[in-house]
Amino acid sequence: MVAGGSLCVPDARRAMLWPSIATTAPMTQSNATEPPNGEPTTTHPQAHGLAALTLGAIGVVYGDIGTSPLYTVVEIFRPATGVALNAANLIGAISAIIWSLMLVVTLKYVVLILRADNRGEGGGLALTALAAKAVAGRPRTRAALLMLGVFGATLFYGDSIITPAISVLGAMEGLEVVAPSLKAYVVPLSLGVLLGLFVVQRFGTAVVGRAFGPVIVLWFAVLAVVGVHHIAQEPAILAALNPLQAWHFLMARGWQVLATVGGIVLALTGAEALYADMGHFGAKPIRLAWTGLVLPSLALNYLGQGALLMHDPKAIENPFYRLFPTEWMVPAVVLATLAAIIASQAVISGAYSMTRQAIQLGYLPRMAVRHTSARQSGQIYVPLVNWVLLAGVIGAVLFFGSSSALAGAYGIAVTVTMMITTVLTYFVVRHGWKLPAPLAIGATLFFLAIDALLVAGCAVKFFDGGWFPLTMGGAIFLLMSTWASGRKLLMHSIRAEGLDLAPFIESLDRDTVNRAERTAVYAVADPDTVPQALMHNLKHNQVLHQRNVILTVVFHDVPWIGMAQRVAVAPLARDFWRVTLHFGFMNTPDVPKALALCGQHGLEIPPFETSYFLSRETVVPTEGSGMSQWRERLFAMMSRNAGSVAEYFNLPDNAVVELGTRVQI
């Protein structure tokens, strides 16, 4: 069965047709930022108060970066980095962490990138769509930006495996501090927690989600309190607030600065979540949460760990848990585990959302997407993604075995994504917002210099695990690019062999063809080409329906298309109509519900008197000027295993007729 659409079309406005691709002119999005009435809605800033949104943002957005204190400081002082554990280096290292948070998270993301919203939505694919739109008149640049943005999106899947593994392992390693004899149980217990987390995904996260905010608020409060306690004992650590300490510390490292930066970057993992989750909470709550609670708490905790190590260098074995008195140790492990679970949930949910966007933008074949909430479309469950992530997480835990070993794999995917975000933002700032070239270029070069240092710092850990997320990202990028290119070849083949619709309709002798007293809906790739299903229906069943709808479903590169712009109806000839349904990449593509709106345009489509005719194309790889033979076989396999059209578009099971054909590419 043909699946999905493709962004790899020459038009500036990408669209996915059901079951194929078309190009469309840009639409006027007067209400595109609002979820359409009659379908699940997402959590939008207009729907809740600022306090509730800020609390939600703390729970969902900051879980990942909030668990970084579990493992960051100890990694900077590993023997491999060559950083001696003394007071001067402690002050310099903590200063580097704090000012990295200030420059990368506060200045880059909170101040700048949160302004780059795509109709209220953020994230890699949303930013890619904005950048591509900004250079719509430059096809080669646009195509390069699309590929760059999609590669950045693929790296998120690697992060979705490493984050749960390193967060839960880092939390569970507190058991070794409670009792060294418990070390043997760290990996089994971590696997148990992770298995339970992925198993419950199918039930939805609404109930657990309500507790995310308060738990993470408690987590950050505890981080701050224990940090202040140790700062009071060694106030000399406050010298780390001077950015010159960070500068001198890094400059003194020489060529080993890259290894040191590879540890510092662990404090920044999760920064991309600020932008990715903007559509759920809005920029203002995310900014308020960061400046009011998250940044101060993280800074105090890192300062506290530095103060502890100045007082007791032996605490380097686990400086985070050594912050706590012995009687607090077990509650600290429990709270850290809860925070790790929440951080893991955020990236798992993000992987589901990323997958749905990629499907609707034409970069992945259809998969089963199940809604776990009747009210919030953002709460979805993708079974295939869930079990693939679980297998990857279990493999990572068993292969690496500790948070320290996983730290080698962590960071490189995040920093490459950050660099890609910087590049895409330049095109939005310069060509979309029309800011002066010196300002746009200067800001971009500044952030690119920081990103390049962070990427280089992680690259030195390539053979220590950095290969893991890059290999995974590369494999997923291969699948996504193969699917997009294959869809383009498939559409070219279908169009080349198809018949023009208008002359075909005029040539029909309606008086001699048997007529069925129902409505037939034919999904078509090209609205000007005769649907294969219609041809087969006439050839094999020798019947024509009383009402025939040539249907095209178009996915636009904006998050939301409102109900007022959902349907376009055009009469073709007697008994034939062309209907185009428009969706954003965050809309739920419910075709029967959308077709009910046709009555407002003079076309009644009775739901219980309608049959849906789908073309099931079998892809046949051939030698030629298309993709290489092995990629064509890969595309054919992906096409065979694509999810059901009927299920994806919510078609009634008892009203769908599939007719097959073979298509060579």
Side-chain angles (χ1 to χ4, degrees):
M1 187 178 299
V2 175
S6 173
L7 286 173
C8 290
V9 293
D11 191 82
R13 176 73 59 173
R14 277 98 61 217
M16 186 187 77
L17 293 168
W18 172 38
S20 298
I21 311 165
T23 58
T24 64
M27 298 182 64
T28 301
Q29 304 295 334
S30 60
N31 61 346
T33 59
E34 296 297 330
N37 295 328
E39 70 174 62
T41 61
T42 57
T43 306
H44 279 256
Q46 297 87 347
H48 302 285
L50 181 61
L53 286 168
T54 303
L55 181 63
I58 293 171
V60 174
V61 177
Y62 294 110
D64 190 356
I65 201 169
T67 55
S68 296
L70 286 167
Y71 41 75
T72 298
V73 174
V74 68
E75 291 305 317
I76 295 175
F77 289 94
R78 291 289 180 192
T81 65
V83 181
L85 186 60
N86 55 50
N89 286 340
L90 281 167
I91 292 173
I94 301 303
S95 180
I97 292 174
I98 293 173
W99 285 98
S100 295
L101 292 172
M102 291 295 295
L103 291 176
V104 175
V105 183
T106 305
L107 187 58
K108 178 179 173 180
Y109 283 92
V110 173
V111 175
L112 175 62
I113 294 180
L114 285 182
R115 300 176 185 273
D117 67 289
N118 188 340
R119 302 293 198 271
E121 293 292 332
L125 290 179
L127 182 63
T128 301
L130 276 180
K133 181 180 178 181
V135 295
R138 299 156 62 182
R140 291 186 178 180
T141 302
R142 178 181 174 276
L145 291 179
L146 289 174
M147 288 295 102
L148 184 65
V150 170
F151 179 67
T154 64
L155 294 177
F156 182 81
Y157 290 100
D159 190 29
S160 299
I161 287 178
I162 298 176
T163 293
I166 194 172
S167 298
V168 173
L169 272 173
M172 284 296 178
E173 284 167 355
L175 294 174
E176 301 178 35
V177 182
V178 175
S181 60
L182 297 176
K183 181 177 182 179
Y185 297 96
V186 169
V187 169
L189 287 175
S190 297
L191 291 174
V193 170
L194 290 165
L195 179 62
L197 176 63
F198 281 93
V199 166
V200 302
Q201 293 300 311
R202 62 174 178 229
F203 301 111
T205 59
V207 175
V208 180
R210 286 195 287 269
F212 279 9
V215 170
I216 296 297
V217 168
L218 176 61
W219 169 254
F220 282 119
V222 170
L223 292 184
V225 169
V226 296
V228 169
H229 172 72
H230 288 278
I231 291 170
Q233 297 181 8
E234 288 287 344
I237 193 63
L238 292 175
L241 296 176
N242 183 351
L244 292 178
Q245 295 288 345
W247 175 262
H248 294 315
F249 170 73
L250 294 175
M251 291 300 100
R253 304 273 71 76
W255 64 271
Q256 288 186 311
V257 68
L258 295 181
T260 306
V261 170
I264 294 171
V265 76
L266 297 175
L268 305 175
T269 55
E272 280 283 328
L274 277 73
Y275 182 51
D277 289 310
M278 180 172 60
H280 293 287
F281 303 102
K284 187 174 181 180
I286 291 175
R287 290 190 179 108
L288 183 60
W290 174 254
T291 56
L293 176 66
V294 179
L295 177 60
S297 298
L298 290 174
L300 288 172
N301 191 263
Y302 286 123
L303 288 167
Q305 290 191 46
L308 169 67
L309 292 173
M310 291 176 69
H311 178 73
D312 181 14
K314 294 181 180 179
I316 191 60
E317 61 182 275
N318 198 319
F320 176 79
Y321 279 110
R322 291 297 183 187
L323 291 173
F324 295 89
T326 304
E327 58 272 18
W328 284 23
M329 198 66 69
V330 173
V333 172
V334 173
L335 181 59
T337 302
L338 291 175
I341 291 172
I342 293 171
S344 303
Q345 179 63 61
V347 294
I348 294 169
S349 299
Y352 298 157
S353 179
M354 180 77 73
T355 300
R356 180 175 71 168
Q357 292 181 33
I359 292 171
Q360 297 187 176
L361 287 172
Y363 273 112
L364 284 175
R366 286 181 309 275
M367 304 177 196
V369 178
R370 300 173 186 170
H371 289 270
T372 59
S373 171
R375 300 182 60 188
Q376 294 188 345
S377 65
Q379 292 190 15
I380 60 175
Y381 170 64
V382 185
L384 178 61
V385 173
N386 187 71
W387 302 123
V388 170
L389 288 181
L390 174 59
V393 169
I394 290 176
V397 170
L398 293 176
F399 181 80
F400 291 99
S402 69
S403 63
S404 179
L406 265 169
Y410 208 25
I412 191 165
V414 176
T415 53
V416 172
T417 303
M418 288 178 176
M419 180 175 285
I420 292 173
T421 298
T422 300
V423 173
L424 294 174
T425 303
Y426 165 76
F427 290 94
V428 175
V429 170
R430 178 70 185 100
H431 301 286
W433 299 349
K434 306 296 184 183
L435 292 185
L439 178 61
I441 294 173
T444 301
L445 291 177
F446 174 74
F447 289 122
L448 274 180
I450 297 175
D451 293 335
L453 179 62
L454 297 177
V455 170
C458 294
V460 299
K461 300 186 294 183
F462 180 83
F463 294 106
D464 294 328
W467 56 268
F468 181 77
L470 292 181
T471 301
M472 176 169 295
I476 297 174
F477 180 77
L478 174 64
L479 293 176
M480 295 174 75
S481 60
T482 297
W483 180 256
S485 299
R487 290 296 306 157
K488 185 177 180 181
L489 290 174
L490 182 63
M491 289 313 308
H492 177 76
S493 179
I494 291 175
R495 286 168 179 159
E497 299 176 3
L499 299 176
D500 290 338
L501 180 63
F504 177 83
I505 294 175
E506 294 294 337
S507 69
L508 289 175
D509 187 351
R510 293 167 176 78
D511 296 329
T512 60
V513 178
N514 295 320
R515 306 300 290 266
E517 295 292 333
R518 289 178 64 86
T519 298
V521 175
Y522 294 98
V524 63
D526 185 345
D528 296 319
T529 302
V530 179
Q532 290 291 321
L534 174 58
M535 295 284 290
H536 287 300
N537 198 26
L538 286 169
K539 178 180 178 181
H540 298 291
N541 299 327
Q542 298 182 354
V543 66
L544 186 68
H545 287 65
Q546 288 291 355
R547 289 176 300 277
N548 299 275
V549 176
I550 310 301
L551 176 65
T552 300
V553 176
V554 181
F555 283 96
H556 294 267
D557 57 5
V558 296
W560 302 101
I561 300 291
M563 281 296 195
Q565 297 174 298
R566 176 74 78 238
V567 178
V569 178
L572 295 175
R574 190 177 59 168
D575 306 330
F576 278 83
W577 289 263
R578 178 184 291 129
V579 175
T580 305
L581 304 182
H582 299 277
F583 295 95
F585 61 75
M586 293 293 289
N587 284 122
T588 299
D590 190 323
V591 167
K593 186 177 293 184
L595 288 178
L597 299 173
C598 290
Q600 303 172 9
H601 301 269
L603 173 62
E604 295 293 338
I605 302 180
F608 298 107
E609 300 177 13
T610 299
S611 299
Y612 296 88
F613 289 86
L614 309 179
S615 298
R616 177 189 288 270
E617 285 98 349
T618 299
V619 178
V620 181
T622 59
E623 294 183 1
S625 59
M627 296 186 294
S628 58
Q629 192 74 4
W630 68 270
R631 289 189 73 194
E632 289 189 358
R633 292 195 186 99
L634 175 60
F635 172 71
M637 182 190 69
M638 295 172 71
S639 183
R640 286 194 303 270
N641 290 280
S644 166
V645 170
E647 181 179 353
Y648 191 79
F649 290 100
N650 200 34
L651 304 182
D653 293 334
N654 59 356
V656 174
V657 180
E658 291 184 308
L659 300 170
T661 184
R662 292 168 64 86
V663 181
Q664 294 183 344
I665 60 172

